[in-house]
Amino acid sequence: MGLSLMVLFLILLIAGIALVAVGAAVDGMPYLISIGVLLLIVDLLYLAARSIWRSTRGPAR
């Protein structure tokens, strides 16, 4: 399950970067930039939540 979430994270990251690049390159498509930025924000929130979740678990014994 962890591998599939990491693959999803990478796909969202690549898609966000691609949307920002296409939105910046093509005139008249600023909504692509905003969608790409939202995808990147979701990725960062996912990383933060995963980091917090891992740090709150007790130490392995």
Side-chain angles (χ1 to χ4, degrees), residues 17-52:
I17 292 170
L19 284 173
V20 169
V22 169
V26 177
D27 193 27
M29 293 195 166
Y31 60 90
L32 287 180
I33 295 175
S34 59
I35 292 171
V37 169
L38 285 175
L39 280 177
L40 294 175
I41 290 171
V42 166
D43 281 344
L44 290 175
L45 289 175
Y46 167 73
L47 280 181
R50 185 175 169 195
S51 174
I52 290 170

